[in-house]
Amino acid sequence: MASSTTPRLVTVFGGGGFIGRYVVEALLKAGARVRVAERDPRKAWYLQPLGSVGQFAAVAADLRRPETVRRALEGANAVINLVGVFDGDLDAIHVEGAKHAAAEAAATGASAFVQVSAIGADQASESNYGRTKGLGEQAVRDAFPNATIIRPSVVFGPEDEFTNRFASIARFPFLPVIAPDRNFQPLFARDLGRAIAAAALDPKAHGGKTYELAGPDVMSMRDINRRVAEMAGHRPEIVDVPDFAANGLSMLGFLPGAPLTRDQWIMLQKDNVASGSLPGFKDFGIVPTSLDAAAPEWLGRFRKGGRFAPRAT
């Protein structure tokens, strides 16, 4: 373990992904040493310039292989698990994998463990994603009782598959919207990264707690699509997809390239907003960034003439 004068070492499982880059950025800015654990560590090499010499490392690890998890945690003061999937063996990743990581973190003497879950995580959920995320939370708590659980709403950022997908579709005259009345509280990836890093670096303040992190605005799926289209310089006609049609479409979700899986449709039956009964960004001293404040930075590239073209009034 690090001495009182040695920067803390944080192992980040899944640190090379979309959310991971912002977590790693925040950790490095705070002066921590970061070890990103990925099945293919080459996916994380792009993060190295964010840190000083010796501050960043990437190692090969797979949550489904406990021996690789153990090696990735050697000497770590804190551990963050960002790994999540929407298809494949969700139990192996969200439940067994999270359990292995938490158990090994406890065995090696780490003082902090942060499990990134999701709003809607529930062991009784009809959704396989929500169910396994809920079971994963319990598995982590059993292995590492002082773990911090973070449940974010849908996350947006320059590299997301959320706003960018909607903006791309908005180029067409008609913009079909599935579950148009479902509500979300989209949050900015950089805000989420800062909160996750803070939880790992200060277990005395955040250990043992469960947080729901959401953006400042509750927005329907219809509103999100409309705003994204406007920021991308397009004004398509919004077309609500009837529930019976979306339900039928989800039945074909097993096909390659299908726009909606059955599990995603099940998740869309409930709003994805903070309950208000759990702590949130305020406890981290973070004022969440709105979609309108951040998204124009990258959605401008979808406008005719590119991001530097004048905006329509």
Side-chain angles (χ1 to χ4, degrees):
M1 303 297 289
S3 70
S4 59
T5 58
T6 303
R8 292 173 64 81
L9 172 61
V10 184
T11 293
V12 185
F13 289 96
F18 165 47
I19 295 172
R21 71 179 63 201
Y22 295 100
V23 174
V24 171
E25 176 187 58
L27 289 169
L28 293 173
K29 284 185 176 180
R33 293 176 295 146
V34 178
R35 177 189 293 153
V36 170
E38 288 274 357
R39 282 189 293 174
D40 182 355
R42 291 174 297 183
K43 294 182 178 179
W45 287 351
Y46 74 96
L47 296 167
Q48 190 167 8
L50 296 178
S52 303
V53 175
Q55 195 181 8
F56 173 88
V59 298
D62 187 336
L63 289 180
R64 295 168 297 184
R65 299 173 58 196
E67 69 280 4
T68 67
V69 172
R70 191 173 304 118
R71 288 196 296 268
L73 295 183
E74 291 179 358
N77 305 99
V79 183
I80 298 171
N81 180 26
L82 298 170
V83 181
V85 294
F86 288 101
D87 53 23
D89 192 345
L90 273 62
D91 284 277
I93 299 296
H94 294 166
V95 186
E96 295 301 317
K99 179 177 71 175
H100 291 321
E104 290 296 338
T108 56
S111 61
F113 189 95
V114 181
Q115 171 71 9
V116 178
S117 184
I119 286 180
D122 184 348
Q123 297 181 41
S125 175
E126 295 181 18
S127 157
N128 196 30
Y129 181 84
R131 176 187 64 82
T132 55
K133 279 294 189 179
L135 289 171
E137 289 183 3
Q138 186 59 56
V140 167
R141 280 267 190 256
D142 290 343
F144 202 110
N146 198 46
T148 303
I149 306 295
I150 290 184
R151 299 173 177 172
S153 184
V154 65
V155 184
F156 65 87
E159 310 85 4
D160 68 33
E161 296 183 7
F162 179 60
T163 62
N164 286 293
R165 176 183 293 182
F166 293 163
S168 181
I169 299 173
R171 292 168 168 169
F172 298 99
F174 298 96
L175 178 57
V177 179
I178 294 173
D181 295 317
R182 191 62 57 234
N183 290 321
F184 299 83
Q185 265 183 282
L187 70 152
F188 189 32
R190 181 163 281 113
D191 295 337
L192 177 58
R194 290 172 57 201
I196 293 171
L201 295 175
D202 191 359
K204 289 184 178 180
H206 305 293
K209 298 179 181 179
T210 297
Y211 293 91
E212 286 182 334
L213 300 186
D217 303 312
V218 175
M219 307 174 70
S220 70
M221 183 69 86
R222 184 188 300 106
D223 290 338
I224 293 172
N225 274 268
R226 180 179 292 112
R227 288 298 301 124
V228 167
E230 290 173 353
M231 286 185 276
H234 303 290
R235 295 185 181 274
E237 182 176 344
I238 303 292
V239 179
D240 293 351
V241 177
D243 283 353
F244 75 86
N247 181 57
L249 185 65
S250 73
M251 297 291 188
L252 303 176
F254 62 90
L255 296 174
L260 180 70
T261 68
R262 186 62 184 169
D263 207 53
Q264 287 172 332
W265 175 243
I266 292 172
M267 287 189 286
L268 284 171
Q269 301 313 297
K270 294 182 179 180
D271 289 342
N272 193 271
V273 300
S275 66
S277 62
L278 293 171
F281 275 122
K282 183 178 180 180
D283 290 66
F284 290 98
I286 296 173
V287 177
T289 307
S290 70
L291 182 69
D292 285 352
E297 177 185 344
W298 62 88
L299 293 180
R301 67 189 178 89
F302 290 95
R303 294 198 298 270
K304 185 177 181 180
R307 60 182 298 184
F308 299 109
R311 299 187 187 184
T313 58

